[in-house]
Amino acid sequence: DTEVTQTPKHLVMGMTNKKSLKCEQHMGHRAMYWYKQKAKKPPELMFVYSYEKLSINESVPSRFSPECPNSSLLNLHLHALQPEDSALYLCASSQATGTYEQYFGPGTRLTVT
Amino acid sequence: SQQGEEDPQALSIQEGENATMNCSYKTSINNLQWYRQNSGRGLVHLILIRSNEREKHSGRLRVTLDTSKKSSSLLITASRAADTASYFCAGGADGLTFGKGTHLIIQP
């Protein structure tokens, strides 16, 4: 199984809401990532988890809170978002950090109203 | 900071023709990867080339790497309509830094 799944596919939330994005992989990968992609732009790295520990936070605002409950799951908790946070949020995994290909999920398209 | 800058930003060719995309980068790399993205969906890994490799093939794909010029190219031969997508080069030791991408359109 070389699939990374993400739920939900679409999410509309108000600026006062709290929501969570979920990502799952069953490839035994020990590195997982969150990327943010605005329309017609490349993905931008947000967070890197290595062996279930946060290893990189690319100066992401605290209204985005990642969590890695176990080696297969990655969550992104959202709170008090702004309309400019509307984007496609992509999860990815790889065997480990370093020189490995990353497998991407289909993304969650988030709209903040 | 962006690892790669693709050239051209957009490319439209006829089906059956070859498509070449270029990527230039600024910092030293251990490897360079190419990804494809169809219409705002997830990215698909195409090929990884290490810094000690000069050329790599995978099916209709050919990637070259010139570390002295800090550049890489992706060649898609005998293009098909299904190759219509955005193509990104990316590098990075941990998380990836992506170039701006080339939007490729294959005309039937």
Side-chain angles (χ1 to χ4, degrees), chain A residues 11-59:
Chain A
L11 178 62
V12 179
M13 60 185 291
M15 289 189 284
T16 58
N17 291 158
K18 285 185 181 181
K19 296 287 185 183
S20 297
L21 310 184
K22 180 180 173 182
C23 173
E24 195 165 3
Q25 57 88 14
H26 294 287
M27 294 177 276
H29 288 172
R30 304 316 300 264
M32 296 186 78
Y33 313 81
W34 281 114
Y35 292 87
K36 172 183 177 180
Q37 186 177 27
K38 303 282 276 183
K40 300 190 186 303
K41 298 288 187 183
E44 293 180 347
L45 181 67
M46 299 175 73
F47 303 103
V48 179
Y49 271 83
S50 179
Y51 289 84
E52 301 162 48
K53 290 191 178 353
L54 182 66
S55 62
I56 293 178
N57 175 343
E58 290 287 337
S59 302

Side-chain angles (χ1 to χ4, degrees), chain A residues 35 37 42 88 97-99 102 105, chain B residues 31 35 37 42 50 93-94 96 99:
Chain A
Y35 292 87
Q37 186 177 27
L88 181 68
T97 56
T99 308
Q102 293 188 15
Chain B
N31 67 84
Y35 287 81
Q37 185 176 35
R50 300 176 190 276
D94 299 311
L96 292 172

Side-chain angles (χ1 to χ4, degrees), chain A residues 79-97:
Chain A
H79 173 55
L81 295 193
Q82 303 297 311
E84 58 265 28
D85 297 321
S86 298
L88 181 68
Y89 288 84
L90 294 161
C91 173
S93 71
S94 63
Q95 187 174 337
T97 56

